Amino acid sequence: MLQFILRRISISMVVLLMGSALMFFATINSGDPLADLRESRSENREQLIQARIDNMNLDMPWWQRYLSWLSGASKCLVLSCDLGQASNGANINTMLVNAAGASLRLVSISVVLAIIIGITLGVLSAIRQYSGFDYAITFLAFLFFSLPVFWAAVLLKDFGAIRFNNWIADPALSTTAMAVVALIFALLVASVLGGDIRRQALTFLVTGAVVFGAVFAFDQVGWWRRPALGLPLILVGALLALAFFLTLTVGLSQRKIVVAGLVTVAAGLVAYFVTAPIMVDPSGWLVIVGLLAATVVVSGAIGWFFGGFERKLSMFVTIGTGVAFGFLVFMDRLLRNWGAFLETKPRPISTIGSGIPEFEGTFWAEIFDWGVQLILPTIVLTLISIAGYSRYTRASMLETINQDYIRTARSKGLSDRVVYTKHALRNALIPITTIVAFDFASLLGGAVITESIFGWRGLGAMFRAGLDAVDPGPVMAYYLVAGGAAVIMNMLADIAYAFLDPRIRR
C-alpha cells in the first residue's frame, strides 16, 4: 500500500510539473504586462515601467522566469514557500494566504454539505426506487445539475439577500405563505417515510398541521427577529438524534444501549444549566472545542459503562447523541444573539464581500458576521454538487443491493436497516470517494465565477487579477493550490478505498 501511494505521488508530481510549465507559458503569452503603462502620460512613466520589469523579471527569458518561480515553489515542500512578487510589488505569499483562507472556507463547507445531503438523498432514492420521492429527487438533481452558476448566483442575490433584507426589517408571513411552507414539509416527510397510501396520508396531515402551527406561533411572537430553540425543542431534538443513531445501529432491541442514550440526554440536560454562564459570551473557539471534547469523553464513558457486550455500538450511539445535544445548545445560544446582530447590521446579508471590514462584537456576533456571508455562495456551490452526488450514489446503491451477498444477508433474516447500513452502503461508497476527490478540486475552479459575482476576495479574484495584468505570479499561486488539492484529495481517495474495501490493501 505504501509503495502504491508513493508511486501515485511521484506520478502526480510529474503531472503538476508539466501542468505548471504549460500554465506559466500560456499566461505570459496572453498579452502585454506593460500595456497600461505604455499608454500612460504620467511623468514618471519610465520609472513605473522599470519597477514592473524588476518586479516581474521581464528582462529574463521566459524559461529562466519559470525556473525562478519553480525554485521558490519547490520550497513549499519544506513549508517555506517563496512565490515572488506581483506586478504591483505585493508579496504573493501574503496574497495567497489571505485568498486561500476565504476560498477554502467556502469550498470546504460546500463539499461537506454536498456529501452529507447528496449521499443521503441518493440512498433514500435507491431504497424508494420508482416512488414519488425518487422521481422528485431525480427531477431536482437534473435541474440543479443544469443550472448555470452565474444565473443561480444572481437569483440568490436578489431573493436571498436584497428581498430577505427588506423582509427582515419588519418580518411577517401571510396565511398563504404559512400553508405553502407546511405543504412542502409535509410532502417531504411523507415521501421520505414512505409506506402505504394510508400511512403517507396520515403522515402528510400530521406533519402539515404541526408545521403550520409552529410557523404561525413563531410569526405571532416575532420569532424571526428574536429566535431561540429553548430547552423543550433541544430535548426533542436530542431524542430524535438518539432515535436516528439507534435506527442506524441496533434499533430498540438492545435495552442497555437505549438506556445509555437516555442517560446521555439526561447528562446533557444537567450540562445545559452548568455551562449556561460560560455560553453567554465564550472567550473564543478554544472554549467551544474544549466543551466538545468534554462532551465526547463523558458521552463515551456513559456508553462504555452501560454498553455491556456491545460497548462499541453503545459508545457510537451515546457520542452521537451527546454531540447532537451540544450542537443544539450551541445553535440555541447563537440564535438568541440574532436580534443583537440585527441592531448592529439592519441589513444582515450583503451581496458583496465575505464580511464587515474590521467588525468587532461579541463572540456570537462575530460568528454571524463570518457566517451570513457564506450562506448564498455556499448554497450555489452546494446545489450543483448535490445533483452529482445524489445520482452517483443512487446508481451505486442500486447496483450494490442487487448483488448476491445482499440476497444472502436478506435470506438470513437480517432487517432492511442492517442490510442497507452495514452491507450495502459501505460498498456503495467506494466509487463515490473518487467523485469527492475530484469535486473538491473542481469546486475551486467553479468558485472563480461564484466569488466574482459575490465579490469575495479569494483565489478566484487573485486568479482573475493575475490574468488581467498578464502576471503569472498570482495565476501560478492559484494553480499551486488547485493542483495540490487535486493531488492530496486523490491520495485521500486511495486511502479511503483501502478502508472501505480491505481487499484493496493487498
Side-chain angles (χ1 to χ4, degrees):
M1 185 67 184
L2 179 60
Q3 183 180 2
F4 171 73
I5 292 178
L6 292 176
R7 185 169 64 252
R8 288 295 305 274
I9 291 177
S10 301
I11 296 173
S12 299
M13 295 302 293
V14 173
V15 172
L16 280 176
L17 181 63
M18 297 175 62
S20 66
L22 179 61
M23 177 72 77
F24 192 93
F25 182 77
T27 302
I28 63 176
N29 286 281
S30 61
D32 182 7
L34 301 175
D36 58 324
L37 294 181
R38 296 186 198 280
E39 298 173 358
S40 174
R41 295 184 179 181
S42 176
E43 296 180 356
N44 62 338
R45 188 187 68 162
E46 297 302 325
Q47 290 83 351
L48 294 175
I49 291 177
Q50 187 59 45
R52 183 171 295 183
I53 291 175
D54 294 337
N55 290 334
M56 299 178 61
N57 296 324
L58 296 178
D59 54 344
M60 298 168 55
W62 75 269
W63 57 271
Q64 287 187 2
R65 295 171 61 193
Y66 171 72
L67 291 178
S68 176
W69 174 85
L70 185 62
S71 175
S74 62
K75 297 179 181 178
C76 293
L77 297 175
V78 292
L79 303 179
S80 181
C81 295
D82 182 13
L83 302 180
Q85 293 180 331
S87 59
N88 58 0
N91 186 279
I92 296 180
N93 283 6
T94 305
M95 292 173 57
L96 180 61
V97 170
N98 295 333
S103 292
L104 293 178
R105 177 177 61 170
L106 174 62
V107 172
S108 299
I109 295 176
S110 301
V111 169
V112 171
L113 290 177
I115 291 172
I116 295 174
I117 300 173
I119 290 179
T120 301
L121 293 178
V123 170
L124 292 175
S125 295
I127 295 175
R128 308 244 187 264
Q129 186 182 16
Y130 301 136
S131 64
F133 177 80
D134 184 25
Y135 288 130
I137 294 301
T138 300
F139 169 76
L140 292 175
F142 283 115
L143 176 64
F144 293 152
F145 192 79
S146 304
L147 278 179
V149 175
F150 61 89
W151 183 70
V154 170
L155 285 181
L156 279 175
K157 286 179 69 172
D158 183 24
F159 290 95
I162 298 173
R163 301 195 184 191
F164 175 81
N165 289 335
N166 294 335
W167 176 80
I168 199 65
D170 186 18
L173 290 177
S174 63
T175 304
T176 303
M178 297 179 191
V180 170
V181 172
L183 177 63
I184 293 174
F185 272 91
L187 287 173
L188 180 63
V189 174
S191 300
V192 172
L193 294 182
D196 54 23
I197 298 297
R198 182 178 179 182
R199 178 181 174 182
Q200 290 189 26
L202 180 62
T203 303
F204 176 83
L205 293 175
V206 172
T207 304
V210 170
V211 172
F212 184 87
V215 174
F216 179 80
F218 289 160
D219 192 65
Q220 294 299 308
V221 301
W223 190 86
W224 316 116
R225 289 188 65 90
R226 299 286 178 181
L229 293 180
L231 188 56
L233 285 180
I234 292 175
L235 288 175
V236 170
L239 292 174
L240 290 176
L242 173 59
F244 172 77
F245 287 108
L246 287 174
T247 302
L248 286 180
T249 53
V250 296
L252 299 177
S253 60
Q254 296 290 336
R255 183 175 299 178
K256 291 183 178 181
I257 297 180
V258 176
V259 171
L262 294 175
V263 172
T264 302
V265 174
L269 181 62
V270 174
Y272 174 82
F273 293 102
V274 173
T275 60
I278 302 175
M279 297 295 289
V280 171
D281 187 14
S283 57
W285 281 104
L286 188 61
V287 175
I288 303 299
V289 173
L291 291 175
L292 175 62
T295 300
V296 172
V297 172
V298 173
S299 302
I302 293 174
W304 185 87
F305 182 78
F306 286 94
F309 293 104
E310 297 288 347
R311 285 196 172 101
K312 186 177 180 179
L313 288 177
S314 179
M315 292 176 66
F316 174 77
V317 171
T318 54
I319 290 176
T321 303
V323 171
F325 195 107
F327 175 76
L328 291 172
V329 173
F330 178 86
M331 291 304 300
D332 177 61
R333 289 296 177 181
L334 183 61
L335 290 173
R336 290 178 186 273
N337 286 270
W338 171 247
F341 179 72
L342 287 178
E343 294 177 359
T344 304
K345 189 179 180 184
R347 299 182 67 83
I349 299 182
S350 301
T351 56
I352 295 177
S354 57
I356 303 175
E358 300 180 358
F359 178 83
E360 292 184 2
T362 64
F363 174 78
W364 304 110
E366 291 179 353
I367 292 180
F368 277 119
D369 173 59
W370 180 84
V372 293
Q373 313 308 326
L374 277 170
I375 294 175
L376 299 185
T378 298
I379 290 176
V380 173
L381 297 178
T382 302
L383 286 180
I384 297 172
S385 296
I386 282 177
Y389 284 125
S390 64
R391 301 309 299 164
Y392 282 115
T393 303
R394 180 183 182 275
S396 181
M397 192 73 178
L398 286 175
E399 182 180 359
T400 303
I401 60 180
N402 290 322
Q403 297 295 320
D404 292 338
Y405 66 88
I406 297 295
R407 297 190 187 96
T408 303
R410 282 177 172 155
S411 66
K412 291 180 179 179
L414 297 178
S415 64
D416 287 342
R417 173 184 55 78
V418 175
V419 170
Y420 288 135
T421 58
K422 288 189 176 182
H423 295 273
L425 180 59
R426 182 169 179 174
N427 290 287
L429 289 179
I430 293 176
I432 306 301
T433 55
T434 302
I435 303 172
V436 173
F438 284 103
D439 189 57
F440 184 85
S442 64
L443 275 182
L444 281 174
V448 174
I449 300 175
T450 306
E451 290 175 6
S452 300
I453 295 174
F454 288 102
W456 276 56
R457 300 191 63 83
L459 290 172
M462 185 181 70
F463 178 78
R464 190 180 68 254
L467 287 180
D468 292 340
V470 197
D471 184 1
V475 175
M476 298 306 295
Y478 170 84
Y479 174 82
L480 196 63
V481 174
V487 171
I488 293 174
M489 294 305 296
N490 274 281
M491 290 302 102
L492 293 178
D494 290 336
I495 297 173
Y497 287 156
F499 173 76
L500 292 171
D501 189 349
R503 293 173 299 177
I504 299 178
R505 301 174 192 174
R506 303 186 180 95

